[in-house]
Amino acid sequence: MDDGVSSIRRRVSVRKRNRPSLETLFAAPAAAELRMGDEQEEEEEETVAGSPRRKTVGAQPVENNDSKEDMFVDYDSFAENSFLVQVDDLEQKYMQLPENRKHNTDLATEDLCSENIRHNRLGITTVSSITELKTDEHPKNQRGHEDVPVEPGADLWCELPSSQVLYFENLQNYSNDLGNKSTKKRDWNSSSHRTVNEELPPNSIEQPQPTDDSSSKVRTSSDVNKRKSLKDHLKSAMTGNAKAQTPIFSRTKQLKETHLSEEINVAKKTIESSSDDLGPFYSLPSRVRDLYAQFKGIEKLYEWQHTCLTLNSVQDRKNLIYSLPTSGGKTLVAEILMLQELLCRRRDVLMILPYVAIVQEKISGLSSFGIELGFFVEEYAGSKGKFPPIKRREKKSLYIATIEKGHSLVNSLIETGRISNLGLVVVDELHMIAEGSRGAVLEMTLAKILYTSKTTQIIGMSATLNNVEDLQEFLQAEYYTSQFRPVELKEYVKINDAIYEVDSKAENGMTFSRLLNFKYSDTLKKMDPDHLVALVTEVIPNNSCLVFCPTKKNCENVAEMICTFLSREYLKHREKEKQEVIKNLKNISNGNLCPVLKRTLPLGVAYHHSGLTNDERKLLEEAYSAGVLCLLTCTSTLAAGVNLPARRVILRAPYVAKEFLKRNQYKQMIGRAGRAGIDSAGESILILQEKDKQQVLELISRPLENCYSHLVQEFTKGIQTLFLSLIGLKIATNLGDIYHFMSGTFFGVQQKILLKEKTLWEITVESLRYLTEKGLLQKDNILTEKELTQKDAIYKSEEWFQYSFHITKLGRASFKGTIDLAYCDILYRDLKQGLEGLVLESLLHLIYLTTPYDMASQCDPDWMVYFKQFNQLSPAEQNVAALVGVSENYIGKKASGQAIKKKVDKDIVNRLYLSFVLYTLLKETNIWSVSEKFNMPRGYIQSLLTAAATFSSCVLHFCEELEEFWVYRALLVELTKKLTYCVKAELIPLMEVTGVLEGRAKQLYNAGYKSLAHLANADPEVLIRTIDHLSRRQAKQIVSSAKMLLHEKAEALQEEVEELLRLPSDFPSVEKA
């Protein structure tokens, strides 16, 4: 039987249901009020269109009954008051109507079908039509604003068995043939080919076609005589179809999808209306609330979150900045607003986060929501991300990006005219706008969105904001703040043996709390003059503790010192699990283990800083979160990174490296104290010396530091890059427009404070002149006198005002590749020189071209290692060194300490040394062995590898814009992939999944999970049993991320197929002669 029949037959259920009479159905009863989503349970009775219906949890088995005795029981029997008798009665009543008395019985029967069935919307509808009728009527009743009469046909077709539905379909087709009336062919396949998570667009749902009354009035006698009565048709059709085998469909799955679709439509209409009724869950389906309870254990929002979500400014989609202490629950509000945009307004969303690790953590957390609710979660970090992003057919995308990748994404959307598709931009850690070149990039991104799209909402959040008024003016935003913390935070300061509580009401800002009571031996006093052991042992091992240290080396020393004086009892605490951690650390490092960690891990202590590899850091974070490790000694970067809260936070000294602590840094560090749902209170203790007492008193009492723009301060990465992209994207192409744009930036708001010597106009002209001289811009199109008169008279004297600008090929390549303008001409020179003699015998030459310039300037080579590694190269590889200008003689003299008269570019020498490191790493794929060979910290090598992968991606985009560099394109695609993963080829498909690093990929591969499809179809419970040290949460996130990635790839391929088959828009029309 065809697909249409299959679609209708899925309505069959073995359970008998009470049917309303046909007369009742035709009477169009008023719709009953539907209860809110909070009250709808899987097993409760609900009233839809006047008929009782019970939702089912499990899939109902469909029984095939061949017994004629049971075939028409209840609604199908021929007894009195049966369905057929009701139809027969209705025929007789219809014949008695005055306007129909002139027709005979058969004609009345046909009119009954053609008029009542089609006019009263009893015409055959597809499954998707039924869904639409439910979803269209559901919202109005659920909100309780008005009673809307529900068309009887909608409910009738939900309740009719398939035999009757099939009969009416055949009858209508037969009637249409007799009346010579053409109707549009129904596309039955449209509903059957939908994917599970794909929501049907409203305009794709087929509507019942109107009927022309005149068609039923012209009949011949021969046609009439051929017609059977309605009852005879029903009998024969029901008997035949009831015997046919009905395919089994998952009723539960269908109900869930329909229910979610209904609630999303409710949410859409709620958002579009001015009603204060927010629907089941803040204008979102109740399914979202259930998912938060299931995935994150969140069952109720904090009061401030409810207040923030119901603000008029949020409801009106105004830009918003909100600020709360760390751990206050800021992210949840942003996530709910993002889901509203994705599901209800059907627009894409961009979330900007400060670090790659946080991007990956967020991707893992939200992928499961995307799978369940039908949207894509895409990663834009490091070398990952597609520009411009794939334009999706149905589902919307949530882009989660770092600051730099977010800027590139916005540029590509503006360039392709798709910026208005971006409904919402969320910026976490908004205070980063004041942090050097990264802050300048964030400012550029937001300024472009404000200038080019009036419909894109911007939400900014931070725990450490002070001069909010400037940010409000820049973002044209409302402001909300609260001092809420789910766990009380108590701040303490320790001087010698005394501990003081921070108290703003006290005269000097603090009051005495207690003396430390811990018996110290003479040896311990010398080793631990700050009493760290005493402070730590008050909370560990049963509770967790973080110790922030000024430097990386100090982290390792403090961890070892504490372990020296811990009792042997600490070894027994979760001993087996700690041995598992040590075993896993060795596995991911090819049997290597840091000597410090080897001594500290058995006692539940570890250090955490950038000297660790990504795999090591992730493993230690997981062990700490699980409570296996109870103490981490760490640098300040942990405070701004992934969320690792603790019962007690200790600041070893009020310094970060050699600089005194800032108020913002202090607040972020102590904000890690107190674990929601675990601790009743959190504690922070700042250890200080007498000499620092006055500065610390100021630190704990003064307000947060102000945010200031770095757009002009970061010259090549800031204002010049901005001007180049403005002209390249044609946002502003002349001096006047560029100046106008600058006035709307964060810098423009603060120009009176920041500019002392030059005006904004002078800086704008100076930057344009620099870009022109560098060959990135070109002046052209002198404005006419008429155009000049339209400009402000004060600028007429300015020569540059008469010009408009266009971007050169080099300029376009630089801004598309996001190359630092300080290096763009050097990069062009190196690539050009490489074309003359590109050595492809090995990867060394290509690696040299993609080694980051900024890291080379900071490198200090070990000349003996340099000379040794140089001599191990093949002749072809040594030829690479000669081509770039570094000779063996020069390296030999440097290694032996001889004086060198010949001048050699230091940056080239250093860059070649770093390329040796990367080349060795790609060959061996073992950071530990490379670390030993080059006498470099393994964390530095990891950072070098990440930076090289990112820069390689940038160089690729640079080359794509310059035809002369076509040869590099294919080569750099493969090199970028190698640098990104730096593993054996078989592990790359697994490492494409967010959160799966090399160590985890090896475990999965060895367990038989060798492809993305394997992971996407894996059972999390089986993964937990198979993979060592994998929590249930991590297993679910890996599977969800794999499913999301698989769906994205499938959607991209489907889009490509449709694009190939689509008729071109410029297809020439052929006119008939």
Side-chain angles (χ1 to χ4, degrees):
M1 204 170 286
D2 64 15
D3 290 342
V5 175
S6 300
S7 297
I8 293 171
R9 281 195 169 181
R10 69 192 302 170
R11 293 277 173 195
V12 177
S13 175
V14 93
R15 178 176 37 78
K16 310 280 189 302
R17 290 172 283 195
N18 294 327
R19 307 289 174 182
S21 70
L22 222 66
E23 291 172 308
T24 308
L25 286 168
F26 287 156
E33 289 290 316
L34 291 179
R35 281 171 284 185
M36 294 294 290
D38 294 33
E39 300 172 15
Q40 292 173 345
E41 298 295 332
E42 290 276 328
E43 288 291 331
E44 74 180 6
E45 291 280 359
E46 69 172 7
T47 305
V48 178
S51 66
R53 184 185 309 161
R54 179 178 291 275
K55 288 187 175 182
T56 57
V57 176
Q60 295 283 358
V62 179
E63 298 176 6
N64 298 314
N65 198 332
D66 289 333
S67 172
K68 287 188 179 180
E69 293 179 1
D70 190 49
M71 194 181 299
F72 301 113
V73 172
D74 236 353
Y75 46 77
D76 289 337
S77 75
F78 293 99
E80 189 179 2
N81 297 325
S82 71
F83 178 81
L84 294 177
V85 173
Q86 292 170 29
V87 172
D88 202 20
D89 290 343
L90 195 58
E91 280 185 77
Q92 300 302 322
K93 290 179 183 179
Y94 186 86
M95 284 301 301
Q96 293 170 14
L97 295 174
E99 63 269 28
N100 293 317
R101 284 175 183 166
K102 61 183 177 180
H103 297 288
N104 61 24
T105 304
D106 287 342
L107 184 57
T109 303
E110 181 167 342
D111 283 343
L112 173 67
C113 298
S114 63
E115 296 295 319
N116 280 340
I117 291 174
R118 290 196 282 170
H119 182 67
N120 289 305
R121 298 189 185 178
L122 280 170
I124 302 303
T125 57
T126 61
V127 174
S128 58
S129 301
I130 295 164
T131 305
E132 187 204 32
L133 284 165
K134 287 197 280 186
T135 55
D136 281 346
E137 289 154 16
H138 225 143
K140 295 180 182 177
N141 294 328
Q142 187 165 356
R143 280 163 40 214
H145 284 279
E146 51 185 322
D147 289 338
V148 182
V150 181
E151 294 294 338
D155 189 60
L156 178 61
W157 295 113
C158 293
E159 301 297 315
L160 283 178
S162 63
S163 57
Q164 294 168 23
V165 174
L166 288 169
Y167 163 72
F168 280 118
E169 179 199 14
N170 294 331
L171 185 59
Q172 186 185 27
N173 292 338
Y174 183 45
S175 173
N176 290 342
D177 291 339
L178 288 173
N180 297 319
K181 177 174 174 59
S182 62
T183 56
K184 290 183 179 179
K185 185 177 180 181
R186 291 168 174 79
D187 185 5
W188 293 99
N189 295 324
S190 63
S191 62
S192 62
H193 291 317
R194 300 283 176 186
T195 56
V196 173
N197 291 315
E198 192 173 344
E199 182 187 338
L200 295 173
N203 58 3
S204 72
I205 301 175
E206 188 174 338
Q207 298 285 357
Q209 301 296 322
T211 306
D212 186 358
D213 293 345
S214 62
S215 66
S216 63
K217 295 180 181 178
V218 183
R219 302 284 187 273
T220 64
S221 59
S222 60
D223 289 336
V224 171
N225 292 333
K226 288 177 184 177
R227 299 297 311 278
K228 294 181 181 180
S229 72
L230 177 60
K231 185 161 68 175
D232 290 338
H233 269 292
L234 282 171
K235 283 180 183 178
S236 61
M238 290 164 66
T239 303
N241 284 297
K243 286 183 179 181
Q245 188 173 359
T246 306
I248 297 175
F249 293 93
S250 171
R251 180 70 173 161
T252 305
K253 197 173 191 180
Q254 184 186 352
L255 285 171
K256 281 183 179 178
E257 290 175 25
T258 305
H259 183 61
L260 180 60
S261 178
E262 288 171 1
E263 289 200 327
I264 287 176
N265 276 280
V266 172
K268 285 180 186 175
K269 296 201 173 189
T270 303
I271 281 180
E272 289 165 4
S273 72
S274 57
S275 168
D276 292 331
D277 181 5
L278 291 181
F281 184 67
Y282 298 98
S283 302
L284 287 166
S286 55
R287 177 73 175 137
V288 176
R289 178 189 54 209
D290 298 339
L291 290 175
Y292 269 107
Q294 179 185 340
F295 294 144
K296 299 192 175 185
I298 298 171
E299 296 185 353
K300 188 178 179 182
L301 269 64
Y302 297 130
E303 187 177 337
W304 83 263
Q305 291 171 329
H306 173 78
T307 303
C308 188
L309 286 167
T310 52
L311 289 172
N312 289 335
S313 55
V314 174
Q315 299 300 310
D316 296 340
R317 294 192 77 251
K318 292 181 180 176
N319 295 344
L320 176 72
I321 299 169
Y322 62 99
S323 177
L324 281 99
T326 303
S327 305
K330 297 184 293 297
T331 307
L332 179 59
V333 170
E335 287 180 8
I336 290 173
L337 293 174
M338 291 192 298
L339 291 174
Q340 285 180 3
E341 200 70 29
L342 289 160
L343 301 179
C344 306
R345 298 190 184 95
R346 307 291 296 157
R347 295 171 78 193
D348 297 327
V349 173
L350 168 61
M351 186 178 202
I352 298 176
L353 300 168
Y355 304 109
V356 174
I358 305 177
V359 168
Q360 292 176 341
E361 186 181 40
K362 188 59 65 181
I363 293 266
S364 298
L366 290 177
S367 288
S368 48
F369 284 85
I371 295 293
E372 294 290 335
L373 298 171
F375 61 86
F376 289 114
V377 182
E378 300 185 39
E379 180 180 352
Y380 280 78
S383 60
K384 293 185 179 180
K386 187 173 179 61
F387 302 103
I390 297 170
K391 194 173 184 180
R392 305 293 182 186
R393 296 173 303 114
E394 297 287 342
K395 298 181 183 180
K396 297 302 169 186
S397 292
L398 168 57
Y399 310 114
I400 302 183
T402 55
I403 291 171
E404 294 77 13
K405 286 290 182 177
H407 182 226
S408 298
L409 180 65
V410 167
N411 282 343
S412 68
L413 290 173
I414 293 171
E415 186 176 28
T416 52
R418 289 165 52 192
I419 189 65
S420 58
N421 293 345
L422 198 60
L424 175 66
V425 175
V426 173
V427 181
D428 195 9
E429 310 295 355
L430 185 59
H431 61 269
M432 291 283 290
I433 203 169
E435 295 192 12
S437 61
R438 304 196 76 213
V441 173
L442 179 57
E443 181 180 344
M444 286 188 273
T445 306
L446 296 175
K448 286 175 187 174
I449 293 168
L450 287 166
Y451 195 84
T452 57
S453 176
K454 302 303 178 189
T455 59
T456 303
Q457 184 184 15
I458 296 175
I459 303 287
M461 51 182 172
S462 174
T464 54
L465 285 178
N466 190 31
N467 56 330
V468 183
E469 297 81 7
D470 289 349
L471 284 166
Q472 277 185 268
E473 187 179 343
F474 165 47
L475 295 176
Q476 302 151 37
E478 303 288 321
Y479 179 58
Y480 176 83
T481 186
S482 169
Q483 293 306 309
F484 172 82
R485 268 186 64 94
V487 178
E488 182 188 2
L489 173 61
K490 295 180 179 178
E491 295 178 47
Y492 297 96
V493 172
K494 177 189 164 297
I495 307 172
N496 299 323
D497 291 343
I499 295 178
Y500 299 86
E501 184 171 359
V502 174
D503 183 1
S504 56
K505 297 175 183 177
E507 187 176 344
N508 61 351
M510 55 187 187
T511 54
F512 177 78
S513 176
R514 64 188 174 99
L515 284 171
L516 267 179
N517 184 21
F518 190 84
K519 293 180 180 178
Y520 266 74
S521 64
D522 292 338
T523 308
L524 185 52
K525 282 180 183 177
K526 289 179 182 177
M527 295 284 291
D528 183 24
D530 296 324
H531 308 98
L532 272 172
V533 174
L535 294 172
V536 161
T537 50
E538 287 179 347
V539 289
I540 66 168
N542 295 321
N543 290 297
S544 56
C545 183
L546 293 175
V547 179
F548 284 101
C549 304
T551 65
K552 288 184 281 190
K553 189 61 182 173
N554 192 232
C555 287
E556 298 175 30
N557 292 341
V558 167
E560 282 200 283
M561 182 273 293
I562 290 173
C563 288
T564 304
F565 296 100
L566 289 180
S567 70
R568 311 308 292 173
E569 292 297 316
Y570 285 90
L571 292 170
K572 298 176 184 177
H573 181 75
R574 304 183 74 161
E575 183 177 7
K576 187 177 179 182
E577 292 162 281
K578 286 185 287 194
Q579 289 305 317
E580 280 295 315
V581 174
I582 293 170
K583 177 185 169 186
N584 287 328
L585 278 171
K586 286 182 178 179
N587 287 341
I588 63 174
S589 304
N590 295 316
N592 296 290
L593 182 63
C594 168
V596 176
L597 290 177
K598 187 176 181 179
R599 289 189 289 271
T600 63
L601 284 174
L603 292 155
V605 179
Y607 65 85
H608 183 289
H609 57 60
S610 60
L612 295 167
T613 65
N614 291 343
D615 281 301
E616 288 174 320
R617 202 177 306 132
K618 191 171 182 65
L619 238 173
L620 293 175
E621 287 168 359
E622 289 171 357
Y624 176 82
S625 297
V628 177
L629 300 180
C630 54
L631 172 65
L632 289 182
T633 59
C634 50
T635 53
S636 60
T637 51
L638 184 138
V642 291
N643 187 25
L644 294 174
R647 172 65 180 272
R648 176 176 288 180
V649 169
I650 300 170
L651 279 70
R652 170 77 176 75
Y655 291 91
V656 173
K658 294 181 180 179
E659 291 186 11
F660 198 81
L661 204 60
K662 294 178 182 176
R663 174 73 173 168
N664 288 356
Q665 294 170 323
Y666 172 72
K667 292 294 284 184
Q668 279 196 321
M669 290 179 189
I670 67 171
R672 294 296 181 202
R675 298 162 297 174
I678 301 174
D679 300 325
S680 56
E683 301 172 337
S684 72
I685 301 174
L686 171 58
I687 299 173
L688 60 96
Q689 309 300 322
E690 281 290 346
K691 65 181 179 66
D692 297 321
K693 184 176 179 180
Q694 192 55 43
Q695 278 183 285
V696 168
L697 289 175
E698 292 174 11
L699 171 72
I700 60 177
S701 60
R702 68 168 175 253
L704 295 163
E705 287 83 8
N706 288 336
C707 287
Y708 292 114
S709 171
H710 280 69
L711 195 59
V712 172
Q713 191 174 334
E714 297 291 331
F715 210 52
T716 56
K717 289 185 180 179
I719 193 169
Q720 291 178 0
T721 299
L722 173 61
F723 288 176
L724 190 65
S725 62
L726 289 180
I727 294 165
L729 295 169
K730 298 180 181 175
I731 296 172
T733 55
N734 61 63
L735 189 55
D737 290 344
I738 292 169
Y739 179 76
H740 175 66
F741 181 96
M742 280 297 295
S743 300
T745 61
F746 189 39
F747 178 82
V749 171
Q750 296 182 325
Q751 58 179 302
K752 291 181 180 178
I753 304 170
L754 299 176
L755 292 178
K756 304 296 182 185
E757 299 175 358
K758 297 178 182 178
T759 64
L760 179 57
W761 179 264
E762 289 171 334
I763 289 173
T764 304
V765 172
E766 188 178 308
S767 298
L768 288 171
R769 183 179 285 115
Y770 174 85
L771 292 171
T772 306
E773 291 171 355
K774 205 171 176 71
L776 303 173
L777 290 180
Q778 193 169 325
K779 292 186 293 183
D780 58 7
N781 296 341
I782 298 176
L783 300 179
T784 64
E785 286 298 320
K786 184 179 179 182
E787 289 172 318
L788 279 170
T789 56
Q790 295 172 356
K791 305 294 181 179
D792 199 327
I794 62 169
Y795 304 133
K796 282 187 180 179
S797 60
E798 183 61 62
E799 176 198 348
W800 282 73
F801 188 77
Q802 300 176 34
Y803 296 100
S804 68
F805 298 86
H806 75 261
I807 195 166
T808 63
K809 288 183 179 180
L810 178 60
R812 180 169 295 281
S814 299
F815 113 77
K816 281 291 195 71
T818 61
I819 305 294
D820 185 342
L821 299 187
Y823 303 118
C824 64
D825 49 351
I826 303 172
L827 174 62
Y828 180 82
R829 182 198 68 199
D830 288 346
L831 291 170
K832 189 79 173 173
Q833 186 179 346
L835 288 178
E836 296 171 7
L838 188 61
V839 178
L840 294 177
E841 192 171 310
S842 73
L843 288 172
L844 182 60
H845 200 167
L846 278 175
I847 290 171
Y848 171 79
L849 293 171
T850 56
T851 301
Y853 290 100
D854 53 350
M855 292 197 76
S857 60
Q858 303 163 12
C859 174
D860 187 17
D862 183 322
W863 294 105
M864 287 302 295
V865 172
Y866 203 159
F867 186 69
K868 183 179 178 181
Q869 291 298 320
F870 188 94
N871 286 323
Q872 291 176 359
L873 297 175
S874 68
E877 289 166 343
Q878 289 185 358
N879 188 38
V880 173
L883 284 171
V884 300
V886 181
S887 65
E888 182 182 4
N889 183 44
Y890 174 82
I891 299 172
K893 285 185 176 180
K894 289 290 285 184
S896 61
Q898 296 179 33
I900 299 170
K901 295 179 181 179
K902 187 180 177 182
K903 192 175 181 181
V904 178
D905 191 326
K906 183 184 175 184
D907 288 338
I908 292 176
V909 175
N910 292 355
R911 195 167 177 230
L912 183 64
Y913 182 67
L914 292 182
S915 66
F916 282 4
V917 177
L918 290 168
Y919 181 51
T920 308
L921 186 57
L922 285 186
K923 284 196 296 184
E924 299 184 9
T925 68
N926 183 349
I927 287 180
W928 279 86
S929 64
V930 177
S931 172
E932 290 173 8
K933 276 184 182 178
F934 287 88
N935 195 23
M936 283 180 168
R938 61 191 185 281
Y940 176 81
I941 294 173
Q942 178 85 72
S943 301
L944 173 63
L945 181 64
T946 304
T950 304
F951 188 61
S952 178
S953 174
C954 293
V955 176
L956 171 60
H957 293 306
F958 182 89
C959 292
E960 285 174 343
E961 297 299 319
L962 295 168
E963 189 61 34
E964 60 196 294
F965 294 146
W966 64 270
V967 71
Y968 287 116
R969 295 172 197 168
L971 296 170
L972 289 175
V973 167
E974 287 305 310
L975 180 63
T976 302
K977 187 181 286 189
K978 287 179 180 291
L979 289 168
T980 300
Y981 300 110
C982 192
V983 292
K984 293 178 180 177
E986 63 264 23
L987 297 181
I988 289 179
L990 301 176
M991 290 184 67
E992 288 180 347
V993 178
T994 302
V996 176
L997 299 177
E998 183 181 359
R1000 187 72 78 206
K1002 285 179 180 177
Q1003 287 179 307
L1004 291 165
Y1005 189 86
N1006 293 334
Y1009 298 95
K1010 299 184 179 182
S1011 69
L1012 182 62
H1014 285 166
L1015 281 184
N1017 291 286
D1019 182 348
E1021 297 301 322
V1022 175
L1023 282 180
I1024 295 166
R1025 294 194 298 270
T1026 310
I1027 307 300
D1028 291 337
H1029 205 68
L1030 182 69
S1031 69
R1032 180 168 280 98
R1033 181 180 65 86
Q1034 291 158 0
K1036 287 180 177 179
Q1037 285 180 348
I1038 286 172
V1039 173
S1040 294
S1041 296
K1043 282 182 179 177
M1044 177 59 66
L1045 192 57
L1046 200 63
H1047 284 188
E1048 283 178 23
K1049 291 188 174 187
E1051 180 83 5
L1053 290 171
Q1054 199 168 350
E1055 176 67 25
E1056 191 176 341
V1057 169
E1058 291 193 4
E1059 185 65 34
L1060 286 170
L1061 298 176
R1062 193 176 294 132
L1063 185 69
S1065 57
D1066 58 350
F1067 186 76
S1069 58
V1070 180
E1071 295 182 5
K1072 292 182 180 180

